[in-house]
Amino acid sequence: MNKEELTNAFNQRASDYDKGWEQLSPVLHGLYHLLSSILSELPHDAKILCVGAGTGAELSYLAQKNPNWHFTAVDPSSAMLDICRQRAKTEGFYSRCSFYEGYLETLPSEDKYDAATALLVSHFILEQQDRKKFFGEVANKLKLGGILTNADLSTGSSPHNYEALLDAWINITSSTDTSNEDQKQIRDMYFNDVAVLPPRQVASLIQSAGFELPVQFFQSGLIHAWFSKCAFHQAS
């Protein structure tokens, strides 16, 4: 998918997006719990950049745990960002948020952030050079020493491992009434529209884009997550 197709796809899925992740809530809760621990060293008034914020799930978790943090939610999908705004209003942290509809590379440069989250985002970037550029753009938005937490779908280089894990993944993320044809379409989507790379390769892309050697802090099913501190900024 190109950027326009991807944005349109998320606009169409926004209304039932959170429902689609309900069966993975134990996994995501574990990810957010560890994510909060990784970021616990940040200042009490830290500024957090949420890239691909979607409906605001991790933003919500972090905002409730850290009542003085400020957040910038970035997402190209207007429908997803609308849900994120409404969640912030309902849960009482709207005043600590700013919202930007668009891709990260067009976000106006302002003060540098203390940390950034990019959860289940970069695997939609199919070309590795573009993915490295994405991580470089995140680095440039961070203070030196600022923390990136990144999660993506990832698995070992063996096709057998990926196919076996993918079957289990589709089973747990699909509803009980999902037809065989729908499951086939979902499977095709993962092969065609998601770049599921080995963990070492993802970590290498992050490091080469301006970060220290990433540390993997979470893995469940296909989801892997890393954290790393910004070591240098890319030349503009």
Side-chain angles (χ1 to χ4, degrees), residues 53-196:
T55 61
E58 78 266 17
L59 194 162
S60 169
Y61 189 92
L62 293 174
Q64 302 297 342
K65 294 280 187 181
N66 303 278
N68 294 307
W69 286 6
H70 293 261
F71 301 86
T72 297
V74 178
D75 202 286
S77 166
S78 58
M80 298 284 273
L81 211 55
D82 283 346
I83 295 172
C84 185
R85 284 192 190 93
Q86 187 56 52
R87 187 196 294 257
K89 291 177 181 177
T90 301
E91 297 181 6
F93 58 88
Y94 182 82
S95 63
R96 295 188 281 129
C97 296
S98 60
F99 303 88
Y100 181 77
E101 181 184 333
Y103 284 92
L104 180 63
E105 64 265 27
T106 63
L107 178 69
S109 295
E110 299 176 349
D111 294 338
K112 301 293 186 182
Y113 293 89
D114 296 288
T117 63
L119 304 188
L120 305 177
V121 174
S122 89
H123 56 228
F124 290 110
I125 305 172
L126 302 184
E127 298 297 328
Q128 291 191 42
Q129 194 59 34
D130 291 338
R131 200 161 171 176
K132 176 183 174 181
K133 183 180 178 182
F134 166 78
F135 288 126
E137 288 164 351
V138 176
N140 285 347
K141 301 295 184 185
L142 289 172
K143 299 175 182 178
L144 292 178
I147 302 173
L148 165 67
T149 53
N150 177 76
D152 282 316
L153 302 187
S154 177
T155 189
S157 56
S158 164
H160 172 74
N161 285 351
Y162 177 41
E163 291 187 19
L165 273 174
L166 182 58
D167 286 341
W169 182 262
I170 291 174
N171 285 338
I172 197 173
T173 56
S174 300
S175 62
T176 54
D177 58 352
T178 302
S179 67
N180 290 335
E181 180 60 29
D182 287 342
Q183 286 206 349
K184 182 181 182 304
Q185 290 181 0
I186 294 170
R187 187 181 178 88
D188 290 343
M189 181 274 293
Y190 279 107
F191 277 106
N192 297 325
D193 299 324
V194 182
V196 181

Side-chain angles (χ1 to χ4, degrees), residues 154-156 197-207 213-214 216 224 226:
S154 177
T155 189
L197 301 179
R200 280 189 186 178
Q201 210 164 337
V202 179
S204 178
L205 288 171
I206 294 171
Q207 184 179 16
L213 180 65
Q216 185 177 322
H224 293 64
W226 301 260

